[in-house]
Structures are given as C-alpha cells and as structure tokens.
Coordinates of all heavy atoms in Angstrom, one line a residue:
A1 N -34.4 -28.6 51.1 CA -33.6 -29.4 50.1 C -32.2 -28.7 49.9 O -32.2 -27.7 49.2 CB -34.4 -29.5 48.9
C2 N -31.3 -29.2 50.6 CA -29.9 -28.6 50.5 C -29.2 -29.4 49.4 O -29.2 -30.6 49.4 CB -29.2 -28.8 51.9 SG -27.5 -28.2 51.9
V3 N -28.5 -28.6 48.6 CA -27.8 -29.2 47.5 C -26.3 -29.0 47.8 O -25.8 -27.8 48.0 CB -28.1 -28.5 46.1 CG1 -27.3 -29.2 45.0 CG2 -29.6 -28.7 45.8
R4 N -25.5 -30.1 47.8 CA -24.1 -30.0 48.1 C -23.4 -30.1 46.7 O -23.6 -31.0 45.9 CB -23.6 -31.1 49.0 CG -24.2 -30.9 50.4 CD -23.6 -32.0 51.3 NE -22.2 -31.7 51.4 CZ -21.3 -32.5 52.1 NH1 -21.9 -33.5 52.8 NH2 -20.1 -32.2 52.3
N5 N -22.5 -29.1 46.5 CA -21.8 -29.2 45.3 C -20.4 -29.8 45.6 O -19.6 -29.3 46.4 CB -21.5 -27.8 44.7 CG -22.8 -27.1 44.2 OD1 -23.7 -27.8 43.8 ND2 -22.9 -25.8 44.3
N6 N -20.1 -31.0 45.0 CA -18.9 -31.6 45.2 C -18.3 -32.3 43.9 O -19.0 -32.0 42.8 CB -19.1 -32.7 46.2 CG -20.1 -33.7 45.9 OD1 -20.5 -33.9 44.7 ND2 -20.6 -34.5 46.8
S7 N -17.3 -33.0 43.9 CA -16.7 -33.5 42.7 C -17.6 -34.5 42.0 O -17.3 -34.7 40.8 CB -15.3 -34.1 43.0 OG -15.5 -35.2 43.9
N8 N -18.5 -35.1 42.6 CA -19.3 -36.1 42.0 C -20.3 -35.5 41.0 O -20.7 -36.2 40.1 CB -20.1 -36.9 43.1 CG -19.2 -37.8 44.0 OD1 -18.1 -38.1 43.5 ND2 -19.6 -38.0 45.2
R9 N -20.7 -34.3 41.2 CA -21.6 -33.6 40.3 C -21.0 -33.5 38.9 O -21.7 -33.7 37.9 CB -21.9 -32.3 40.8 CG -23.0 -31.6 40.0 CD -23.4 -30.3 40.7 NE -24.3 -29.6 39.8 CZ -24.5 -28.3 39.8 NH1 -23.9 -27.5 40.6 NH2 -25.3 -27.7 38.9
A10 N -19.6 -33.1 38.9 CA -19.0 -33.0 37.6 C -18.8 -34.3 36.9 O -18.7 -34.4 35.6 CB -17.6 -32.3 37.7
A11 N -18.7 -35.4 37.7 CA -18.5 -36.7 37.1 C -19.7 -37.2 36.4 O -19.6 -38.0 35.4 CB -18.0 -37.6 38.2
I12 N -20.9 -36.9 36.8 CA -22.1 -37.4 36.3 C -22.4 -36.6 35.0 O -22.9 -37.3 34.0 CB -23.3 -37.2 37.3 CG1 -23.0 -38.1 38.5 CG2 -24.7 -37.5 36.6 CD1 -23.9 -37.8 39.7
S13 N -22.3 -35.4 34.9 CA -22.6 -34.6 33.7 C -21.5 -33.6 33.4 O -20.4 -33.7 34.0 CB -24.0 -33.9 33.8 OG -23.9 -32.9 34.8
H14 N -21.7 -32.6 32.5 CA -20.6 -31.7 32.1 C -20.5 -30.7 33.2 O -21.3 -30.5 34.1 CB -21.0 -31.1 30.8 CG -22.2 -30.2 30.8 ND1 -23.4 -30.7 30.8 CD2 -22.3 -28.8 31.0 CE1 -24.3 -29.7 30.9 NE2 -23.7 -28.6 31.0
L15 N -19.4 -29.8 33.2 CA -19.3 -28.8 34.1 C -20.3 -27.7 33.8 O -20.4 -27.3 32.7 CB -17.8 -28.2 34.0 CG -16.7 -29.2 34.5 CD1 -15.4 -28.6 34.2 CD2 -16.9 -29.5 35.9
H16 N -20.9 -27.1 34.8 CA -22.0 -26.1 34.5 C -21.3 -24.7 34.7 O -21.5 -23.9 35.7 CB -23.0 -26.2 35.6 CG -23.7 -27.5 35.4 ND1 -24.6 -27.8 34.6 CD2 -23.5 -28.7 36.1 CE1 -25.0 -29.1 34.6 NE2 -24.4 -29.7 35.6
R17 N -20.4 -24.4 33.7 CA -19.7 -23.1 33.7 C -19.8 -22.4 32.4 O -19.9 -23.1 31.4 CB -18.2 -23.2 34.0 CG -17.8 -23.7 35.4 CD -16.3 -23.8 35.5 NE -16.0 -24.5 36.7 CZ -14.8 -25.0 36.9 NH1 -13.9 -24.7 36.1 NH2 -14.5 -25.6 38.0
Q18 N -19.8 -21.1 32.3 CA -19.8 -20.3 31.0 C -18.4 -20.3 30.6 O -18.2 -20.4 29.4 CB -20.5 -19.0 31.2 CG -21.9 -19.0 31.6 CD -22.8 -19.5 30.4 OE1 -22.4 -19.3 29.2 NE2 -23.8 -20.2 30.7
L19 N -17.5 -20.0 31.5 CA -16.1 -19.9 31.2 C -15.3 -20.8 32.0 O -15.6 -21.0 33.2 CB -15.6 -18.3 31.4 CG -16.3 -17.3 30.6 CD1 -15.8 -16.0 31.1 CD2 -15.9 -17.4 29.2
Y20 N -14.3 -21.3 31.4 CA -13.4 -22.2 32.2 C -12.3 -21.4 32.8 O -11.9 -20.4 32.4 CB -12.9 -23.4 31.2 CG -14.0 -24.2 30.9 CD1 -14.7 -24.1 29.6 CD2 -14.4 -25.3 31.6 CE1 -15.7 -24.9 29.2 CE2 -15.5 -26.1 31.2 CZ -16.1 -25.9 30.1 OH -17.2 -26.7 29.7
G21 N -11.7 -22.1 33.8 CA -10.8 -21.4 34.6 C -9.3 -21.1 34.1 O -8.6 -20.3 34.6
R22 N -9.0 -21.8 33.0 CA -7.5 -21.7 32.5 C -7.4 -20.5 31.6 O -8.1 -20.4 30.5 CB -7.2 -23.0 31.7 CG -5.8 -22.9 31.1 CD -4.8 -22.9 32.2 NE -3.5 -23.1 31.7 CZ -2.5 -22.2 31.9 NH1 -2.6 -21.2 32.7 NH2 -1.3 -22.4 31.4
L23 N -6.7 -19.5 32.1 CA -6.4 -18.3 31.3 C -4.9 -18.1 31.1 O -4.1 -18.5 32.1 CB -7.0 -17.1 32.0 CG -8.5 -17.0 32.1 CD1 -9.0 -15.8 32.9 CD2 -9.1 -16.9 30.8
Y24 N -4.5 -17.6 30.0 CA -3.1 -17.5 29.6 C -2.6 -16.0 29.7 O -3.3 -15.2 29.3 CB -2.8 -18.1 28.3 CG -3.2 -19.5 28.1 CD1 -4.5 -19.9 27.7 CD2 -2.3 -20.6 28.5 CE1 -4.9 -21.2 27.6 CE2 -2.7 -21.9 28.3 CZ -4.0 -22.3 28.0 OH -4.3 -23.5 27.9
P25 N -1.4 -15.8 30.1 CA -0.9 -14.4 30.2 C -0.5 -14.0 28.7 O 0.1 -14.7 28.0 CB 0.4 -14.6 31.0 CG 0.8 -16.0 31.0 CD -0.4 -16.8 30.8
V26 N -1.1 -12.8 28.3 CA -0.9 -12.3 27.0 C -0.6 -10.8 27.1 O -1.0 -10.1 28.0 CB -2.2 -12.5 26.2 CG1 -2.2 -11.8 24.8 CG2 -2.6 -13.9 26.0
L27 N 0.2 -10.3 26.1 CA 0.6 -8.9 26.0 C -0.3 -8.2 25.0 O -0.4 -8.7 23.8 CB 2.1 -8.8 25.6 CG 2.6 -7.4 25.6 CD1 2.7 -6.9 27.0 CD2 4.0 -7.4 24.9
L28 N -1.1 -7.3 25.5 CA -2.0 -6.5 24.6 C -1.4 -5.2 24.2 O -0.9 -4.4 25.0 CB -3.3 -6.2 25.3 CG -4.3 -5.3 24.5 CD1 -4.9 -6.1 23.4 CD2 -5.4 -4.8 25.5
V29 N -1.3 -5.0 22.8 CA -0.6 -3.8 22.3 C -1.7 -2.9 21.8 O -2.5 -3.2 20.9 CB 0.4 -4.1 21.2 CG1 1.0 -2.8 20.6 CG2 1.4 -5.1 21.7
N30 N -1.9 -1.6 22.3 CA -2.8 -0.7 21.9 C -2.4 0.0 20.6 O -1.2 -0.1 20.2 CB -3.1 0.3 23.0 CG -3.8 -0.4 24.2 OD1 -4.7 -1.2 24.0 ND2 -3.6 0.1 25.3
T31 N -3.3 0.7 20.1 CA -2.9 1.5 18.8 C -1.9 2.6 19.0 O -1.1 2.9 18.1 CB -4.2 2.1 18.1 OG1 -4.8 2.9 19.0 CG2 -5.1 1.0 17.7
D32 N -1.8 3.2 20.2 CA -0.8 4.2 20.4 C 0.5 3.7 20.9 O 1.5 4.3 21.1 CB -1.4 5.1 21.5 CG -1.6 4.4 22.9 OD1 -1.5 3.2 22.9 OD2 -1.9 5.1 23.9
G33 N 0.7 2.3 20.9 CA 1.9 1.7 21.2 C 2.0 1.2 22.7 O 3.0 0.6 23.1
S34 N 1.1 1.6 23.6 CA 1.1 1.2 25.0 C 0.9 -0.3 25.1 O 0.1 -0.9 24.2 CB 0.2 2.1 25.8 OG -1.1 1.9 25.3
T35 N 1.4 -0.9 26.1 CA 1.2 -2.3 26.3 C 0.5 -2.6 27.6 O 0.8 -1.9 28.6 CB 2.4 -3.1 26.1 OG1 3.4 -2.6 27.2 CG2 3.1 -3.0 24.8
V36 N -0.2 -3.7 27.7 CA -0.9 -4.1 28.9 C -0.8 -5.6 29.0 O -1.1 -6.4 28.0 CB -2.4 -3.6 29.0 CG1 -3.0 -4.2 30.2 CG2 -2.5 -2.2 28.8
R37 N -0.5 -6.1 30.1 CA -0.5 -7.6 30.4 C -1.8 -8.0 30.9 O -2.3 -7.4 31.8 CB 0.5 -8.1 31.4 CG 2.0 -7.8 30.9 CD 2.8 -9.0 31.4 NE 4.2 -8.9 30.7 CZ 4.5 -9.6 29.8 NH1 3.7 -10.6 29.3 NH2 5.7 -9.6 29.2
L38 N -2.5 -9.0 30.3 CA -3.8 -9.4 30.7 C -3.8 -11.0 30.6 O -2.9 -11.7 30.1 CB -4.9 -8.8 29.9 CG -4.8 -8.9 28.4 CD1 -5.6 -10.0 27.9 CD2 -5.4 -7.6 27.9
R39 N -4.9 -11.5 31.0 CA -5.2 -13.0 30.9 C -6.2 -13.3 29.9 O -7.2 -12.6 29.9 CB -5.5 -13.6 32.3 CG -4.5 -13.1 33.3 CD -4.3 -13.9 34.6 NE -4.5 -15.3 34.6 CZ -3.5 -16.1 34.3 NH1 -2.2 -15.6 34.2 NH2 -3.6 -17.4 34.4
Y40 N -5.8 -14.2 29.0 CA -6.7 -14.4 27.8 C -7.0 -15.9 27.7 O -6.3 -16.8 28.2 CB -6.0 -14.0 26.5 CG -6.8 -13.8 25.3 CD1 -7.9 -13.0 25.2 CD2 -6.5 -14.7 24.2 CE1 -8.6 -12.9 24.0 CE2 -7.3 -14.7 23.0 CZ -8.3 -13.7 23.0 OH -9.1 -13.6 21.8
S41 N -8.1 -16.3 27.1 CA -8.6 -17.7 27.1 C -7.7 -18.5 26.1 O -7.7 -19.8 26.2 CB -10.0 -17.7 26.7 OG -10.2 -17.2 25.4
E42 N -7.0 -17.9 25.1 CA -6.2 -18.8 24.2 C -4.7 -18.4 24.4 O -4.4 -17.3 24.7 CB -6.6 -18.4 22.8 CG -8.0 -18.7 22.4 CD -8.3 -18.2 20.9 OE1 -7.4 -18.0 20.2 OE2 -9.5 -18.2 20.6
P43 N -3.8 -19.5 24.3 CA -2.4 -19.2 24.5 C -1.8 -18.5 23.3 O -1.5 -19.1 22.3 CB -1.8 -20.6 24.6 CG -2.8 -21.4 23.9 CD -4.2 -20.8 24.0
K44 N -1.7 -17.1 23.4 CA -1.0 -16.3 22.4 C 0.1 -15.5 23.0 O 0.0 -15.2 24.2 CB -2.0 -15.4 21.7 CG -3.1 -16.2 21.0 CD -4.0 -15.1 20.2 CE -5.1 -15.9 19.4 NZ -5.8 -15.0 18.6
R45 N 1.1 -14.9 22.2 CA 2.0 -14.1 22.9 C 1.6 -12.6 22.8 O 1.6 -11.9 23.9 CB 3.3 -14.2 22.1 CG 4.0 -15.5 22.4 CD 5.4 -15.4 21.8 NE 6.0 -16.8 22.0 CZ 7.2 -16.9 22.3 NH1 8.0 -15.8 22.4 NH2 7.7 -18.1 22.5
I46 N 1.1 -12.2 21.7 CA 0.7 -10.7 21.6 C -0.6 -10.6 20.9 O -0.9 -11.3 19.9 CB 1.8 -10.0 20.7 CG1 3.2 -10.0 21.5 CG2 1.4 -8.6 20.4 CD1 4.2 -9.3 20.6
L47 N -1.4 -9.7 21.4 CA -2.7 -9.3 20.8 C -2.5 -7.8 20.4 O -2.1 -7.1 21.2 CB -3.9 -9.5 21.7 CG -4.4 -10.8 22.0 CD1 -5.6 -10.8 23.0 CD2 -5.0 -11.4 20.7
M48 N -2.9 -7.5 19.1 CA -2.8 -6.1 18.7 C -4.3 -5.6 18.5 O -5.1 -6.3 17.9 CB -2.0 -6.0 17.4 CG -0.5 -6.4 17.7 SD 0.5 -6.1 16.3 CE 0.5 -4.4 16.1
M49 N -4.6 -4.5 19.0 CA -5.8 -3.8 18.8 C -5.9 -3.2 17.4 O -4.9 -2.8 16.8 CB -6.0 -2.6 19.8 CG -6.1 -3.1 21.2 SD -7.4 -4.2 21.5 CE -8.8 -3.0 21.4
P50 N -7.0 -3.3 16.6 CA -7.1 -2.9 15.3 C -7.0 -1.3 15.3 O -7.5 -0.6 16.2 CB -8.4 -3.4 14.8 CG -9.2 -3.6 16.1 CD -8.3 -4.0 17.1
L51 N -6.4 -0.8 14.2 CA -6.3 0.7 14.1 C -7.5 1.2 13.4 O -8.0 0.7 12.4 CB -5.1 0.9 13.2 CG -4.7 2.4 13.1 CD1 -4.3 3.0 14.4 CD2 -3.6 2.6 12.1
D52 N -8.0 2.3 13.9 CA -9.2 2.9 13.3 C -8.8 3.9 12.2 O -8.2 4.9 12.4 CB -10.0 3.8 14.4 CG -11.2 4.4 13.8 OD1 -11.8 3.8 12.8 OD2 -11.9 5.2 14.5
S53 N -9.1 3.4 11.0 CA -8.5 4.2 9.8 C -9.2 5.6 9.6 O -8.7 6.5 8.9 CB -8.6 3.4 8.5 OG -9.9 3.1 8.3
S54 N -10.4 5.8 10.2 CA -11.0 7.1 10.0 C -10.4 8.1 10.8 O -10.6 9.4 10.5 CB -12.5 6.9 10.5 OG -12.6 6.6 11.9
T55 N -9.5 7.8 11.8 CA -8.9 9.0 12.6 C -7.5 9.3 11.9 O -6.9 10.3 12.3 CB -8.6 8.4 14.0 OG1 -7.8 7.3 14.0 CG2 -9.9 8.2 14.7
L56 N -7.1 8.6 10.9 CA -5.7 8.8 10.3 C -5.9 10.0 9.2 O -6.9 10.2 8.7 CB -5.2 7.5 9.6 CG -4.8 6.4 10.4 CD1 -4.4 5.2 9.6 CD2 -3.7 6.7 11.3
P57 N -4.7 10.6 8.9 CA -4.7 11.6 7.9 C -4.9 10.9 6.6 O -4.6 9.7 6.4 CB -3.4 12.3 8.0 CG -2.8 11.9 9.2 CD -3.5 10.7 9.8
E58 N -5.4 11.6 5.6 CA -5.6 11.0 4.2 C -4.5 10.4 3.7 O -4.5 9.2 3.0 CB -6.2 12.1 3.3 CG -6.8 11.6 2.0 CD -8.0 10.7 2.1 OE1 -8.7 10.8 3.0 OE2 -8.2 9.9 1.2
A59 N -3.3 11.0 3.7 CA -2.0 10.4 3.1 C -1.6 9.1 3.8 O -1.2 8.1 3.1 CB -0.9 11.4 3.2
E60 N -1.7 9.1 5.0 CA -1.3 7.9 5.8 C -2.3 6.8 5.5 O -1.9 5.6 5.5 CB -1.1 8.2 7.3 CG -0.5 7.1 8.1 CD -0.2 7.4 9.5 OE1 -0.3 8.6 9.9 OE2 0.0 6.5 10.3
R61 N -3.5 7.1 5.5 CA -4.6 6.0 5.2 C -4.3 5.4 3.8 O -4.5 4.2 3.7 CB -6.0 6.6 5.4 CG -7.0 5.6 5.2 CD -8.4 6.2 5.5 NE -8.8 7.3 4.6 CZ -9.3 7.0 3.4 NH1 -9.5 5.7 3.0 NH2 -9.6 7.9 2.5
K62 N -4.1 6.2 2.8 CA -3.8 5.7 1.5 C -2.5 4.9 1.5 O -2.5 3.8 0.8 CB -3.7 6.8 0.5 CG -5.1 7.4 0.1 CD -5.0 8.4 -0.9 CE -6.4 9.0 -1.2 NZ -6.2 10.0 -2.4
A63 N -1.5 5.2 2.2 CA -0.3 4.5 2.2 C -0.5 3.1 2.9 O 0.1 2.1 2.4 CB 0.8 5.3 3.1
R64 N -1.3 3.1 4.0 CA -1.6 1.8 4.6 C -2.4 0.9 3.7 O -2.2 -0.4 3.6 CB -2.4 2.1 5.9 CG -1.6 2.5 7.1 CD -2.4 2.7 8.3 NE -1.5 2.9 9.4 CZ -1.0 2.0 10.2 NH1 -1.3 0.6 9.9 NH2 -0.3 2.2 11.2
L65 N -3.3 1.5 3.0 CA -4.1 0.7 2.0 C -3.3 0.1 0.9 O -3.4 -1.0 0.4 CB -5.3 1.4 1.4 CG -6.4 1.7 2.4 CD1 -7.4 2.6 1.7 CD2 -7.0 0.4 2.6
R66 N -2.3 1.0 0.3 CA -1.3 0.4 -0.6 C -0.4 -0.7 -0.1 O -0.1 -1.7 -0.8 CB -0.4 1.6 -1.1 CG -1.1 2.5 -2.2 CD -0.1 3.3 -2.9 NE 0.7 4.1 -2.0 CZ 0.4 5.4 -1.7 NH1 -0.7 5.9 -2.1 NH2 1.2 6.0 -0.8
R67 N -0.1 -0.6 1.1 CA 0.8 -1.7 1.7 C 0.0 -2.9 2.0 O 0.4 -4.1 1.8 CB 1.4 -1.3 3.0 CG 2.7 -0.5 3.0 CD 3.2 -0.3 4.3 NE 2.3 0.2 5.3 CZ 2.6 1.3 6.0 NH1 3.6 2.0 5.9 NH2 1.6 1.8 6.8
Q68 N -1.3 -2.8 2.3 CA -2.2 -3.9 2.6 C -2.7 -4.6 1.3 O -2.7 -5.8 1.3 CB -3.4 -3.4 3.3 CG -4.3 -4.6 3.9 CD -5.3 -4.1 4.8 OE1 -5.5 -2.8 5.0 NE2 -6.1 -5.0 5.4
F69 N -2.9 -3.8 0.3 CA -3.3 -4.3 -0.9 C -2.4 -3.9 -2.1 O -2.7 -2.9 -2.8 CB -4.8 -4.0 -1.3 CG -5.8 -4.4 -0.2 CD1 -6.3 -3.4 0.6 CD2 -6.2 -5.7 -0.1 CE1 -7.3 -3.7 1.5 CE2 -7.0 -6.0 0.9 CZ -7.6 -5.0 1.7
P70 N -1.3 -4.6 -2.3 CA -0.3 -4.1 -3.3 C -0.9 -4.3 -4.8 O -1.8 -5.2 -5.0 CB 0.9 -5.0 -3.2 CG 0.4 -6.1 -2.3 CD -0.8 -5.7 -1.6
S71 N -0.4 -3.5 -5.7 CA -1.0 -3.6 -7.0 C -0.5 -4.9 -7.7 O 0.6 -5.4 -7.2 CB -0.5 -2.4 -7.8 OG 0.9 -2.3 -7.9
K72 N -1.1 -5.3 -8.8 CA -0.7 -6.6 -9.4 C 0.6 -6.3 -10.2 O 0.8 -5.2 -10.7 CB -1.8 -6.9 -10.4 CG -3.1 -7.3 -9.7 CD -4.1 -7.7 -10.7 CE -5.4 -8.1 -10.0 NZ -6.5 -8.4 -10.9
P73 N 1.5 -7.3 -10.3 CA 2.6 -7.0 -11.0 C 2.5 -6.8 -12.5 O 1.6 -7.6 -13.1 CB 3.5 -8.3 -10.7 CG 2.5 -9.4 -10.3 CD 1.4 -8.5 -9.6
K74 N 3.3 -6.0 -13.1 CA 3.1 -5.7 -14.5 C 3.7 -6.8 -15.4 O 4.7 -7.5 -14.9 CB 3.7 -4.4 -14.8 CG 3.1 -3.2 -14.2 CD 3.7 -2.0 -14.5 CE 3.0 -0.8 -13.8 NZ 3.7 0.5 -14.1
A75 N 3.1 -7.1 -16.4 CA 3.7 -8.2 -17.3 C 4.9 -7.7 -18.0 O 5.1 -6.6 -18.5 CB 2.6 -8.5 -18.4
K76 N 6.0 -8.6 -17.9 CA 7.3 -8.2 -18.5 C 7.3 -8.5 -20.0 O 6.6 -9.5 -20.6 CB 8.3 -9.0 -17.9 CG 8.6 -8.7 -16.5 CD 9.7 -9.5 -15.9 CE 9.9 -9.1 -14.3 NZ 10.9 -10.0 -13.8
E77 N 8.0 -7.7 -20.8 CA 8.1 -8.0 -22.2 C 9.1 -9.3 -22.4 O 10.0 -9.4 -21.8 CB 8.8 -6.8 -22.9 CG 7.9 -5.6 -22.9 CD 8.5 -4.4 -23.6 OE1 9.5 -4.6 -24.3 OE2 8.1 -3.3 -23.4
E78 N 8.7 -10.0 -23.5 CA 9.5 -11.2 -23.7 C 10.7 -10.9 -24.5 O 10.7 -9.9 -25.2 CB 8.7 -12.2 -24.6 CG 7.4 -12.7 -23.8 CD 6.7 -13.8 -24.7 OE1 7.3 -14.3 -25.6 OE2 5.6 -14.1 -24.3
E79 N 11.8 -11.6 -24.2 CA 13.1 -11.4 -24.8 C 13.0 -11.9 -26.3 O 12.4 -12.8 -26.7 CB 14.2 -12.1 -24.1 CG 14.5 -11.6 -22.7 CD 15.7 -12.4 -22.2 OE1 16.3 -13.2 -22.9 OE2 15.9 -12.1 -21.0
T80 N 13.7 -11.3 -27.1 CA 13.9 -11.7 -28.6 C 15.3 -12.0 -28.7 O 16.3 -11.5 -28.1 CB 13.5 -10.5 -29.5 OG1 14.3 -9.4 -29.3 CG2 12.0 -10.2 -29.4
F81 N 15.5 -12.9 -29.6 CA 16.9 -13.4 -29.8 C 17.6 -12.8 -31.0 O 18.6 -13.3 -31.5 CB 16.9 -15.0 -30.0 CG 16.5 -15.7 -28.8 CD1 15.2 -16.3 -28.8 CD2 17.3 -15.9 -27.7 CE1 14.7 -17.0 -27.7 CE2 16.8 -16.6 -26.6 CZ 15.5 -17.2 -26.6
E82 N 17.1 -11.6 -31.4 CA 17.7 -10.9 -32.6 C 19.0 -10.3 -32.3 O 19.9 -10.4 -33.1 CB 16.7 -9.8 -33.0 CG 15.4 -10.4 -33.5 CD 14.4 -9.4 -33.8 OE1 14.8 -8.2 -33.6 OE2 13.2 -9.7 -34.2
G83 N 19.2 -9.9 -31.0 CA 20.5 -9.2 -30.8 C 21.6 -10.0 -30.2 O 22.6 -9.5 -29.7
I84 N 21.4 -11.3 -30.1 CA 22.3 -12.2 -29.5 C 23.2 -12.9 -30.6 O 22.7 -13.4 -31.5 CB 21.5 -13.3 -28.6 CG1 20.8 -12.7 -27.5 CG2 22.5 -14.4 -28.1 CD1 19.9 -13.6 -26.7
D85 N 24.5 -12.9 -30.2 CA 25.5 -13.5 -31.1 C 25.6 -15.0 -30.6 O 26.1 -15.3 -29.6 CB 26.8 -12.8 -31.0 CG 27.9 -13.4 -31.9 OD1 27.4 -14.0 -33.0 OD2 29.0 -13.3 -31.8
L86 N 25.1 -15.9 -31.5 CA 25.1 -17.3 -31.2 C 26.5 -18.0 -31.2 O 26.7 -19.0 -30.6 CB 24.1 -18.0 -32.1 CG 22.7 -17.7 -32.1 CD1 21.9 -18.5 -33.1 CD2 22.2 -18.0 -30.7
D87 N 27.4 -17.3 -31.8 CA 28.8 -18.0 -31.8 C 29.4 -17.9 -30.5 O 30.3 -18.7 -30.2 CB 29.7 -17.1 -32.9 CG 29.2 -17.4 -34.3 OD1 28.6 -18.4 -34.5 OD2 29.5 -16.5 -35.1
T88 N 29.1 -17.0 -29.6 CA 29.7 -17.0 -28.3 C 29.2 -18.2 -27.4 O 29.9 -18.5 -26.6 CB 29.3 -15.6 -27.5 OG1 27.8 -15.5 -27.5 CG2 29.8 -14.4 -28.2
Y89 N 28.1 -18.8 -27.8 CA 27.5 -19.9 -26.9 C 27.7 -21.2 -27.7 O 27.2 -22.1 -27.2 CB 26.0 -19.6 -26.7 CG 25.8 -18.4 -26.0 CD1 25.3 -17.3 -26.5 CD2 26.0 -18.4 -24.5 CE1 25.0 -16.1 -25.8 CE2 25.7 -17.2 -23.8 CZ 25.3 -16.1 -24.4 OH 25.1 -14.9 -23.8
K90 N 28.6 -21.2 -28.7 CA 28.7 -22.4 -29.5 C 29.5 -23.4 -28.7 O 29.3 -24.7 -28.9 CB 29.6 -22.1 -30.7 CG 29.6 -23.2 -31.7 CD 30.5 -22.8 -32.9 CE 29.7 -22.0 -33.8 NZ 30.3 -21.7 -35.1
K91 N 30.3 -23.1 -27.7 CA 31.0 -24.0 -26.9 C 30.2 -24.8 -26.0 O 30.6 -25.9 -25.5 CB 32.1 -23.3 -26.1 CG 31.6 -22.3 -25.1 CD 32.7 -21.6 -24.4 CE 32.1 -20.4 -23.6 NZ 33.1 -19.6 -23.0
F92 N 28.9 -24.4 -25.7 CA 28.0 -25.1 -24.8 C 27.2 -26.1 -25.5 O 26.5 -27.0 -24.9 CB 27.1 -24.1 -24.0 CG 27.9 -23.2 -23.2 CD1 27.9 -21.9 -23.5 CD2 28.6 -23.6 -22.1 CE1 28.5 -21.0 -22.7 CE2 29.3 -22.8 -21.3 CZ 29.3 -21.5 -21.5
W93 N 27.2 -26.1 -26.9 CA 26.4 -27.1 -27.7 C 27.1 -28.4 -27.8 O 28.3 -28.6 -27.8 CB 26.1 -26.6 -29.0 CG 25.4 -25.3 -29.1 CD1 24.6 -24.8 -28.1 CD2 25.3 -24.3 -30.1 NE1 24.0 -23.6 -28.5 CE2 24.5 -23.3 -29.7 CE3 26.0 -24.3 -31.4 CZ2 24.2 -22.2 -30.6 CZ3 25.7 -23.1 -32.2 CH2 24.9 -22.2 -31.8
K94 N 26.4 -29.5 -27.7 CA 27.0 -30.8 -27.9 C 27.1 -31.1 -29.3 O 26.3 -30.7 -30.2 CB 26.1 -31.9 -27.3 CG 26.1 -31.8 -25.8 CD 25.3 -32.9 -25.2 CE 25.4 -32.9 -23.7 NZ 24.6 -34.0 -23.0
K95 N 28.3 -31.8 -29.7 CA 28.6 -32.2 -31.1 C 28.1 -33.5 -31.5 O 28.0 -34.4 -30.7 CB 30.0 -32.0 -31.4 CG 30.4 -30.6 -31.3 CD 31.9 -30.5 -31.6 CE 32.3 -29.0 -31.4 NZ 33.7 -28.8 -31.7

C-alpha cells in the first residue's frame, strides 16, 4: 500500500503539520546587549530576553523595581483664597 502525498490530500482535510512554514526575520537582543538575527513565527521587529534579577547587585535591583513600580503620587494641598487680592481680578468679572 503505497501512499502518495500530493496537493489533493491537503484539499480534503487540514494540513498535517505541527509548525507552518512561514517564519519572519526578527532581531533577538540578549541581556548583555548582543544581538542575533533569527526566524520567528510572529512578525515582530525586536525580541528582548528577560533579565534575571537574582544576578544583579542589590542597589541596581531596587532601582529597577522602583522604575517598574513607581510610588503613588502624593495628595496636594488645596489652595485657600485668603491671600489673594480680589481687586486685581475685578476687570475679568462681568457687570
């Protein structure tokens, strides 16, 4: 029983492949700054490898965490109108 693989087989059912043939050129950036061109399944320009924070010094690791999760803005004090001279703004009022 010889089985011939031709174009009619794909027309009857789905393609019997795990990966499809279309790959896109992508630039991979490593954590040390080196770059490698490779072929990737999705059309992207740059892929960046994640940085291992356990290898960083303590000060740099804390600085990265502060940049990634900034603190909440502090509430500002409300202005009071006690120190404002209202006569200087009298020209803007409608009569």
Side-chain angles (χ1 to χ4, degrees):
C2 180
V3 177
R4 291 185 66 180
N5 295 329
N6 57 21
S7 63
N8 295 331
R9 181 176 178 204
I12 295 171
S13 66
H14 68 280
L15 291 174
H16 301 282
R17 295 183 192 167
Q18 294 294 327
L19 298 173
Y20 292 95
R22 179 68 171 124
L23 296 175
Y24 301 91
V26 173
L27 186 69
L28 175 70
V29 179
N30 291 324
T31 56
D32 60 352
S34 62
T35 59
V36 178
R37 291 214 174 257
L38 54 91
R39 304 201 43 90
Y40 192 67
S41 60
E42 297 177 14
K44 296 184 177 189
R45 285 186 186 222
I46 295 177
L47 283 177
M48 295 184 71
M49 296 296 290
L51 184 66
D52 186 15
S53 62
S54 63
T55 59
L56 294 175
E58 187 69 23
E60 189 173 344
R61 187 173 64 79
K62 285 185 179 180
R64 281 183 172 270
L65 285 173
R66 276 196 305 270
R67 276 190 306 233
Q68 190 173 3
F69 303 108
S71 62
K72 294 180 182 176
K74 296 179 181 177
K76 295 181 181 178
E77 294 181 16
E78 294 185 16
E79 292 183 8
T80 58
F81 295 106
E82 295 171 1
I84 296 176
D85 184 21
L86 295 178
D87 292 332
T88 57
Y89 299 103
K90 191 181 283 188
K91 60 185 176 186
F92 298 114
W93 297 339
K94 290 187 178 180
K95 294 182 181 180

